[in-house]
Amino acid sequence: MRFNRMLLSATLVIVALVIQVSVLARLHLPGAVPDLLLLTVLGLALVYGHVGGALVGFGAGLLADLAPPADHAAGRYALVLCVIGYLAGLAKPENGQLKSATGPMAVVVAASIGSTLLYAGVGALVGDTAARHVGLGGLLFTAALYDLLLAPFVVPGIMALARRAENDPLADTGGSGKSTDVAAGWISSGTGLRIGSQRGGLRVKAAKARMARAGRIKGVKRL
């Protein structure tokens, strides 16, 4: 990951974790808690792809495991967000632009349900059966509902920030070459002409002009 990605991801994850612990966790809502950290990982994964999403998810989950008042084994939520970030990154748009909000909202619902199930499954493996006493069905429903209501205010903004950092000309040394190719593509697609054919036509015209001028000079000499 480039430095601008790491800096932006670390800043967003820390801010999301602080809000998660200090505000959202104290709302005492029925069922689950809105997972702002999960939505942050999803927004970054939809821009950075599966590898970047997995790395961001692992780092965010590890911070959540170590931040008080965490009451579970360290590495549990890191594993969950790493898997979720990787899978969400697979849904990254090819051109980087979203055609509608249906896809991201489906990703949010699937990630909320998947993270809850995966977290409960990992907990069952290590002997944590708290999900059984609370009610897994209620947790799944409320987690998906809360995250879906919060997602429109979080995911688009995070994706916009990530795209803006990706378009930073100082972050990519090969940006000038790419911009030249893109500009050439725009010119050729907009005019219906090819740059190579234009250059060839100019060369032919220049050669004809030189031949005509040489013929006129020879005609003057003969006179």
Side-chain angles (χ1 to χ4, degrees):
M1 298 178 69
R2 292 194 298 264
F3 177 75
N4 60 334
R5 283 190 179 188
M6 296 175 60
L7 181 61
L8 177 64
S9 301
T11 303
L12 292 176
V13 165
I14 292 175
V15 171
L17 181 60
V18 171
I19 298 176
Q20 180 80 33
V21 174
S22 60
V23 179
L24 297 180
R26 299 183 179 183
L27 294 179
H28 301 292
L29 297 174
V33 176
D35 200 339
L36 182 61
L37 197 61
L38 173 65
L39 297 179
T40 303
V41 172
L42 292 180
L44 294 174
L46 289 174
V47 177
Y48 295 157
H50 57 282
V51 177
L55 294 175
V56 173
F58 179 80
L62 189 59
L63 287 178
D65 290 332
L66 300 177
D71 56 353
H72 55 269
R76 181 176 172 183
Y77 202 46
L79 175 61
V80 172
L81 287 187
C82 180
V83 174
I84 295 298
Y86 180 87
L87 295 178
L90 296 176
K92 173 188 175 182
E94 295 181 357
N95 58 355
Q97 299 293 332
L98 297 174
K99 296 182 180 180
S100 64
T102 305
M105 293 299 103
V107 172
V108 169
V109 174
S112 299
I113 297 175
S115 62
T116 305
L117 289 175
L118 187 57
Y119 186 83
V122 175
L125 293 177
V126 298
D128 185 2
T129 59
R132 297 180 182 178
H133 303 288
V134 176
L136 186 58
L139 284 177
L140 293 176
F141 176 76
T142 53
L145 178 62
Y146 295 154
D147 291 343
L148 188 61
L149 293 176
L150 187 60
F153 304 98
V154 177
V155 177
I158 290 178
M159 294 181 65
L161 289 175
R163 287 199 189 100
R164 185 174 182 180
E166 287 292 283
N167 294 330
D168 187 359
L170 298 179
D172 191 357
T173 55
S176 59
K178 293 181 180 180
S179 62
T180 303
D181 296 338
V182 172
W186 275 104
I187 294 174
S188 60
S189 61
T191 59
L193 301 175
R194 295 182 178 179
I195 302 300
S197 61
Q198 289 180 349
R199 292 177 179 175
L202 292 176
R203 291 178 181 176
V204 172
K205 290 181 180 179
K208 289 182 179 180
R210 288 196 297 269
M211 292 176 62
R213 185 173 56 185
R216 288 196 298 271
I217 293 175
K218 289 182 180 179
V220 173
K221 289 183 178 180
R222 289 177 182 177
L223 293 176

